[in-house]
């Protein structure tokens, strides 16, 4: 596709910070002028494994539709945290059927869940920010690490309009911690564009969106938003920090040190 992005990305310690940053910058510039299908096709054309992590939210459903309809070689995975809404879990099977794709499920390790419950209680995340971070670590971050093993590109559904914390998100960025390139092909889409795509392409969406849940995570940690609130105001609503995140996309407290790794967790 006439791209000056390096054609060989090493998938081990030899992937230097400089190479990651140079590659991300070049890719960021290329992606801006393309449509969604073109952005995804460009990533697929580069050497290396591309992984898309979907939470089954409306943005992720749009990306899944583009991957499926264009038969792109992107691995689609989801984090089965064990605390998802029933509506979200049901949408996984429906989405696979709609687009003829396989969505690989990654689950938390039972040993990690048991260790968390022993220390904080099963719902201890309501009691402190530390405990909430530790829960996200067990149920999301560790499964994510396994999902991204061997990946060169991590595709996400991040949009700048989702929250102030994401307002400056680029199309592509170096994820130095994970040693890969994060690609955000919907970063410049607004919710109106998202809704128009869904309607035009008959994309199945989570029924919770129509009930006031623009951002959907685990059931105990997600509420419907009130009129005028930001899209992600319903996530971890009991915390005061308006920029709160789980750590998947914006690093927070080092929860990974709170619960020891189980023997099989990455």
């Amino acid at each position: 596709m006439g791209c000056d992005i390096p054609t060989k990305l090493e998938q081990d310690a030899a992937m230097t910070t400089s190479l990651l940053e140079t590659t991300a910058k070049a890719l960021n510039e290329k992606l801006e002028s393309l449509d969604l299908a073109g952005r995804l096709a460009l990533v697929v054309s580069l050497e290396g494994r591309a992984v898309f992590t979907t939470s089954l939210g409306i943005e992720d459903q749009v990306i899944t539709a583009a991957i499926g309809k264009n038969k792109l070689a992107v691995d689609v995975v989801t984090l089965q945290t064990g605390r998802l809404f029933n509506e979200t879990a049901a949408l996984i099977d429906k989405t696979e059927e709609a687009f003829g794709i396989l969505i690989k499920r990654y689950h938390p390790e039972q040993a990690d869940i048991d260790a968390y419950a022993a220390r904080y209680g099963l719902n201890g995340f309501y009691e402190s920010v530390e405990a909430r971070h530790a829960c996200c670590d067990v149920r999301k971050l560790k499964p994510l690490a396994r999902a991204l093993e061997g990946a060169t590109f991590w595709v996400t559904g991040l949009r700048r309009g989702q929250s102030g914390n994401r307002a400056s998100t680029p199309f592509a960025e170096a994820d130095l911690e994970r040693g890969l390139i994060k690609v955000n092909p919907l970063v410049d889409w607004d919710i109106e564009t998202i809704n128009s795509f869904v309607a035009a392409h008959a994309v199945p969406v989570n029924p919770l969106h129509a009930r006031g849940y623009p951002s959907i995570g685990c059931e105990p940690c997600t509420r419907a938003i009130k009129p005028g609130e930001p899209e992600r105001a319903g996530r971890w609503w009991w915390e005061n920090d308006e920029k709160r995140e789980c750590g998947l996309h914006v690093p927070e407290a080092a929860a990974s040190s709170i619960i020891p790794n189980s023997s099989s967790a990455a």
Side-chain angles (χ1 to χ4, degrees), residues 3-9 18-20 22-24 26-27 46-47 152-153:
C3 186
D4 57 358
I5 298 167
T7 58
K8 178 61 177 176
L9 296 179
S18 177
L19 177 57
L20 275 173
T22 299
T23 302
L27 185 56
L46 303 174
E47 186 168 348
T152 306
F153 302 100

Side-chain angles (χ1 to χ4, degrees), residues 55-174:
S55 66
L56 286 298
I58 194 168
E59 293 89 356
D60 291 344
Q61 290 297 92
V62 166
I63 295 176
T64 302
I67 291 171
K69 288 178 180 293
N70 293 285
K71 301 186 184 306
L72 298 173
V74 178
D75 292 340
V76 182
V77 308
T78 194
L79 307 180
Q80 275 278 38
T81 66
R83 304 299 294 269
L84 299 181
F85 285 89
N86 290 335
E87 292 87 344
T88 303
L91 187 57
I92 299 174
D93 293 335
K94 186 175 182 179
T95 302
E96 289 181 321
E97 182 179 353
F99 303 117
I101 62 173
L102 173 67
I103 300 176
K104 187 171 182 179
R105 286 81 154 163
Y106 284 85
H107 301 264
E109 298 288 344
Q110 189 60 48
D112 287 339
I113 293 174
D114 293 343
Y116 177 88
R119 177 162 185 172
Y120 298 104
L122 187 61
N123 293 327
F125 43 80
Y126 292 125
E127 304 301 323
S128 71
V129 174
E130 176 193 87
R132 200 269 292 170
H133 286 174
C135 187
C136 289
D137 179 61
V138 166
R139 294 186 181 272
K140 299 175 77 173
L141 296 182
K142 288 182 177 178
L144 175 69
R146 286 185 276 117
L148 294 178
E149 285 180 359
T152 306
F153 302 100
W154 174 21
V155 180
T156 86
L158 294 183
R159 290 191 299 108
R160 292 169 183 156
Q162 289 170 327
S163 69
N165 214 38
R166 299 179 176 183
S168 60
T169 303
F171 293 98
E173 55 191 316

Side-chain angles (χ1 to χ4, degrees), residues 92 192 211 248-249:
I92 299 174
E192 290 75 22
R211 303 176 202 162
L248 289 181
H249 302 293

